[in-house]
Structures are given as C-alpha cells and as structure tokens.
Amino acid sequence: HAAEERERLIAGLEAQNLELERFNYTVSHDLKSPLFTIQGFLGFIKEARATGNSDSIDRDIEQIEEATERMARLLDELLELAQVGRVLHALEWIPLAALIDEALRLSTGRLRERKVTLDVDSSLGEVYGDHARLRMVFQNLIDNAVKFTFEQAEPRITVSAETRGDRTEVTVADNGVWIEPVTAQLMMTLFMS
C-alpha cells in the first residue's frame, strides 16, 4: 500500500512539474514580447535622434509606454495567479478585429523592425471568451509568425477567419519556415495536454 501511495505522489509531482514548465515557458514568452517592442522603439528613437528626424519620436515613446503597461499587466496577472491559483476573467463577446488590432499594436516594434507586410481579413466577426487571454494568444501567434519569417526578404503575415456553424476558425499564417503537419500536430498536442 505504501509503495502505491509513493507512486501516486511521484506521478502527481511529475504532473505538477510539467505544468510548471509549461507555465514558465508561457510567462517568459509573454514577458519577452513587450521587451522586444521596447528595444525596437528605443532603436528607432536613437536612429531618429541621430538623423535629426524628431517627427516619429513622440509616437515611438507612446509605443514604449504601451509596452511597459502591457508588461505591468502581465506581472499583475502573474501575482494574482500566484495568490489565487488561477486567474478568472469574465467571458464576453469580443470583435476579433479589435483583438487582432491590440495584438498587432503590442507587437508593433518587431513588425516594424522586420518590415512585415500584414494582410488582415476585414470580416473577422466576433468570438466569446476571455479578452485578456485571447489577446495574449493572438499576440503569441503573431510574435511567432514574425520570428519564423527571418529568412524571408519580404516577410508577410496573414490573419483570416472562417465561421462554421457556432465555431470560428482563425488562421494566422506567415511565409516563413514551414513545419511538417505531423510535427505541428504533435506540438499542439503537447502544448494542450
């Protein structure tokens, strides 16, 4: 009986460690994005100062402020999560176009630095869910799309949506490195499990 209990406890600890690894990956990814934005816009400000073109400096400072506010929100959510165990937000109907726009604004530094061309479907519709979490999902998808277009001379990201019955399928595609469908499915399975 003691051996069975020990095995059950070990299995529970292994599951908790796996969950903690996933959590750490997600948090570090989410915190890096505002840092990349800040770094990118600081570079633009230095360049503008060096060339004497001060027209864009105010706009660039606003982007930096937005990125720092985003990081502060992420840190607040992390602290809340540590206290409560998990963060629950009210579910609501959200226009997809607004979510995508927020995610794009939060990734502006990387998009601008890489000179990414964006194609966003104008008829995205609405989704029902947690606004903050969905924004984070789209920002991560867009950041990953930017990251994997590094070999492209003309990087392009396309965001589209298709409604099927009561479900909406959103696609974020890029012209970067291609992943085999089997590998992509395995990665999704590991991430979702």
Short mmCIF file of all heavy atoms in Angstrom, two decimals, residues 23 76-87:
data_model
loop_
_atom_site.label_atom_id
_atom_site.label_comp_id
_atom_site.label_asym_id
_atom_site.label_seq_id
_atom_site.Cartn_x
_atom_site.Cartn_y
_atom_site.Cartn_z
N PHE A 23 3.98 26.61 -17.70
CA PHE A 23 3.67 27.94 -17.19
C PHE A 23 4.87 28.87 -17.34
O PHE A 23 4.75 29.99 -17.81
CB PHE A 23 3.25 27.82 -15.72
CG PHE A 23 3.00 29.14 -15.05
CD1 PHE A 23 1.83 29.84 -15.31
CD2 PHE A 23 3.93 29.67 -14.18
CE1 PHE A 23 1.60 31.07 -14.70
CE2 PHE A 23 3.70 30.89 -13.57
CZ PHE A 23 2.53 31.59 -13.83
N ASP A 76 1.07 41.84 -13.00
CA ASP A 76 -0.07 41.84 -12.08
C ASP A 76 -0.84 40.52 -12.16
O ASP A 76 -1.23 39.95 -11.14
CB ASP A 76 -1.02 43.01 -12.37
CG ASP A 76 -0.44 44.35 -11.94
OD1 ASP A 76 0.52 44.35 -11.13
OD2 ASP A 76 -0.96 45.39 -12.40
N GLU A 77 -1.06 40.04 -13.40
CA GLU A 77 -1.76 38.77 -13.57
C GLU A 77 -0.96 37.62 -12.98
O GLU A 77 -1.51 36.70 -12.40
CB GLU A 77 -2.05 38.52 -15.05
CG GLU A 77 -3.12 39.42 -15.61
CD GLU A 77 -3.33 39.23 -17.11
OE1 GLU A 77 -2.68 38.34 -17.70
OE2 GLU A 77 -4.15 39.96 -17.67
N LEU A 78 0.36 37.68 -13.12
CA LEU A 78 1.22 36.65 -12.56
C LEU A 78 1.12 36.64 -11.03
O LEU A 78 1.01 35.58 -10.42
CB LEU A 78 2.67 36.88 -13.01
CG LEU A 78 3.70 35.87 -12.53
CD1 LEU A 78 3.36 34.47 -13.01
CD2 LEU A 78 5.08 36.27 -13.03
N LEU A 79 1.14 37.82 -10.43
CA LEU A 79 1.00 37.90 -8.97
C LEU A 79 -0.37 37.40 -8.52
O LEU A 79 -0.49 36.69 -7.53
CB LEU A 79 1.20 39.35 -8.50
CG LEU A 79 2.64 39.87 -8.60
CD1 LEU A 79 2.68 41.36 -8.31
CD2 LEU A 79 3.56 39.09 -7.68
N GLU A 80 -1.41 37.77 -9.27
CA GLU A 80 -2.76 37.30 -8.95
C GLU A 80 -2.83 35.79 -9.06
O GLU A 80 -3.42 35.12 -8.21
CB GLU A 80 -3.77 37.96 -9.91
CG GLU A 80 -5.21 37.65 -9.59
CD GLU A 80 -6.15 38.34 -10.56
OE1 GLU A 80 -5.76 39.33 -11.20
OE2 GLU A 80 -7.30 37.88 -10.67
N LEU A 81 -2.22 35.24 -10.09
CA LEU A 81 -2.21 33.80 -10.29
C LEU A 81 -1.50 33.10 -9.13
O LEU A 81 -1.95 32.07 -8.65
CB LEU A 81 -1.52 33.47 -11.61
CG LEU A 81 -1.46 32.01 -12.01
CD1 LEU A 81 -2.86 31.45 -12.20
CD2 LEU A 81 -0.66 31.85 -13.28
N ALA A 82 -0.40 33.67 -8.68
CA ALA A 82 0.34 33.07 -7.56
C ALA A 82 -0.49 33.07 -6.29
O ALA A 82 -0.40 32.15 -5.48
CB ALA A 82 1.64 33.84 -7.34
N GLN A 83 -1.35 34.08 -6.11
CA GLN A 83 -2.16 34.17 -4.89
C GLN A 83 -3.41 33.30 -4.95
O GLN A 83 -3.78 32.67 -3.99
CB GLN A 83 -2.59 35.62 -4.65
CG GLN A 83 -1.43 36.51 -4.31
CD GLN A 83 -1.83 37.98 -4.25
OE1 GLN A 83 -2.97 38.33 -4.55
NE2 GLN A 83 -0.90 38.84 -3.90
N VAL A 84 -4.04 33.25 -6.11
CA VAL A 84 -5.33 32.59 -6.20
C VAL A 84 -5.22 31.17 -6.76
O VAL A 84 -6.06 30.33 -6.48
CB VAL A 84 -6.29 33.43 -7.08
CG1 VAL A 84 -7.63 32.77 -7.26
CG2 VAL A 84 -6.46 34.81 -6.50
N GLY A 85 -4.22 30.91 -7.55
CA GLY A 85 -4.11 29.60 -8.17
C GLY A 85 -4.42 29.64 -9.64
O GLY A 85 -3.83 28.94 -10.43
N ARG A 86 -5.38 30.46 -10.03
CA ARG A 86 -5.64 30.69 -11.45
C ARG A 86 -6.48 31.95 -11.59
O ARG A 86 -7.25 32.30 -10.70
CB ARG A 86 -6.31 29.51 -12.13
CG ARG A 86 -7.67 29.16 -11.60
CD ARG A 86 -8.16 27.90 -12.27
NE ARG A 86 -9.52 27.65 -11.84
CZ ARG A 86 -10.48 27.28 -12.63
NH1 ARG A 86 -10.26 27.12 -13.90
NH2 ARG A 86 -11.69 27.07 -12.16
N VAL A 87 -6.32 32.62 -12.69
CA VAL A 87 -7.00 33.88 -12.92
C VAL A 87 -8.26 33.63 -13.73
O VAL A 87 -8.22 32.97 -14.75
CB VAL A 87 -6.08 34.86 -13.70
CG1 VAL A 87 -6.78 36.17 -13.95
CG2 VAL A 87 -4.79 35.08 -12.94
#
